[in-house]
Amino acid sequence: MPGLLRAAELDRPRIDGLIHSAREFARGTAAGDRLGAVVGLLFFEDSLRTRVGFEAAAVRIGAGTTTVTSLRQTTQMAIPETLEDAARCVAPYCDVICLRHPDVDAPDRISRLITTPLLNCGNGDDEHPTQALVDLLAIDELRGGIDGLRVAIVGDLLHMRVAHSLLLALSRYEAITVRCISPQALAMPERYARVFHAAGGTLQAAQALELDDIDIVYVAGLPRTPQNNVTIADQDRYRIESATVQRLAAHVRILCPLPRVDEIATTVDSTPQAAYFQQSALGLGMRMALLKQALA
Ligand code: CP
């Protein structure tokens, strides 16, 4: 009954198995046979795709869901409730828990206390490993394989957790080149880059939107937040516009975990290179595969 706290837990056989299982679900050749199972959706940050995606995936494999989005606060009740206590109470009611929480250490704090498999659906600015699996499935589907590709990851690579998990997951593939494109102050943290390097991948860093020789453009996001000092000029500089797409080769595909603020102009949506809504749709099968594995 494996959970998933971080992308480093994903070895190649597990990734390949999940991609295979996701494809079977998408084709309708795998049965949803988890009738009576309960999926706990503990989402303490906003989420559309991940929360609704896991809820729909649960229903499609025959499971039910229960959702928690806030804990008791002192303003409402006499005693506030800790995440730890809440998790220990909810875990026995559930067969798998999907957790999104703003604290980086939340998955580790909880996993020490419960035996129910835990899927990390985003922990602060650290990781989002289930999204990385959706991304790998999308790349594999769009390019017919991942080994040997050249991937650009664009945005606030210091804070965007999707970028960290994708880089770690790509380290499991052969002859991969990743170009990390960001403002200098928002570069990919060394602790993730080191893992990718150690696995033999080629890692490049750029501050300009250099996409000439790239196969996959992954737009991780460049929102303006109190943490990152991103300016409107920065957003203008890294935005994918129609003119950007015209300079890309026909085979290039643009991915984005979404939501976008305006990192990709809506005029790009109708170009053959735009694949982010297809990527989002593929997430259903991958989340079914993840739940099936966790509920085995
Ligand atoms: N991609 C992603 O994590 O989207 P949500 O925040 O809507 O779940």
Side-chain angles (χ1 to χ4, degrees):
M1 295 194 299
L4 180 62
L5 300 196
R6 46 183 65 85
E9 295 164 27
L10 294 167
D11 58 17
R12 188 70 183 265
R14 188 172 176 193
I15 294 170
D16 290 346
L18 284 164
I19 287 178
H20 177 76
S21 176
R23 286 205 170 106
E24 285 190 330
F25 278 124
R27 280 199 301 265
T29 53
D33 55 359
R34 296 299 184 270
L35 199 65
V38 176
V39 178
L41 300 167
L42 276 56
F43 276 71
F44 300 103
E45 277 183 344
D46 288 344
S47 170
L48 179 71
R49 283 144 291 272
T50 314
R51 189 179 67 75
V52 177
F54 272 112
E55 186 163 6
V59 170
R60 285 175 185 265
I61 64 168
T65 64
T66 184
T67 302
V68 179
T69 57
S70 64
L71 300 178
R72 282 182 187 174
Q73 305 295 317
T74 43
T75 50
Q76 294 166 344
M77 305 288 285
I79 305 168
E81 182 147 32
T82 65
L83 177 65
E84 282 82 350
D85 284 0
R88 291 174 89 165
C89 292
V90 171
Y93 305 156
C94 300
D95 301 290
V96 57
I97 287 180
C98 302
L99 174 72
R100 175 172 289 189
H101 198 280
D103 293 350
V104 165
D105 64 356
D108 283 331
R109 277 161 48 203
I110 288 185
S111 67
R112 281 195 287 270
L113 300 172
I114 64 174
T115 54
T116 308
L118 183 65
L119 299 177
N120 176 10
C121 294
N123 59 320
D125 62 8
D126 181 25
E127 280 224 48
H128 194 348
T130 67
Q131 178 65 47
L133 284 162
V134 174
D135 301 338
L136 293 181
L137 172 62
I139 297 171
D140 198 61
E141 195 79 11
L142 293 162
R143 293 305 315 259
I146 299 178
D147 292 323
L149 291 182
R150 299 174 68 85
V151 180
I153 306 180
V154 185
D156 175 358
L157 305 188
L158 181 60
H159 298 102
M160 297 306 282
R161 56 196 175 199
V162 290
H164 308 155
S165 291
L166 179 59
L167 183 68
L168 295 174
L170 285 172
S171 74
R172 298 303 191 182
Y173 289 83
E174 301 295 327
I176 290 283
T177 297
V178 173
R179 185 172 301 153
C180 291
I181 302 177
S182 69
Q184 189 164 23
L186 303 176
M188 178 68 72
E190 182 55 28
R191 63 185 180 282
Y192 308 110
R194 200 182 309 122
V195 175
F196 184 79
H197 253 308
T202 302
L203 194 62
Q204 304 169 344
Q207 289 163 42
L209 206 51
E210 295 166 7
L211 302 174
D212 288 358
D213 51 352
I214 288 296
D215 302 302
I216 295 288
V217 180
Y218 186 90
V219 181
L222 191 61
R224 280 189 293 145
T225 71
Q227 288 77 37
N228 68 11
N229 294 318
V230 166
T231 62
I232 291 174
D234 289 329
Q235 292 181 313
D236 289 345
R237 189 165 157 221
Y238 292 99
R239 184 174 301 114
I240 307 294
E241 311 262 13
S242 299
T244 325
V245 177
Q246 280 166 17
R247 293 194 296 272
L248 299 176
H251 76 268
V252 176
R253 290 294 174 268
I254 302 167
L255 298 181
C256 174
L258 300 169
R260 64 177 155 190
V261 182
D262 65 350
E263 295 90 346
I264 305 172
T266 53
T267 51
V268 172
D269 296 357
S270 56
T271 66
Q273 284 89 349
Y276 25 93
F277 291 114
Q278 193 178 344
Q279 171 191 7
S280 178
L282 287 164
L284 179 63
M286 180 52 77
R287 293 183 181 106
M288 291 170 77
L290 276 160
L291 290 180
K292 179 184 171 185
Q293 188 177 77
L295 292 167

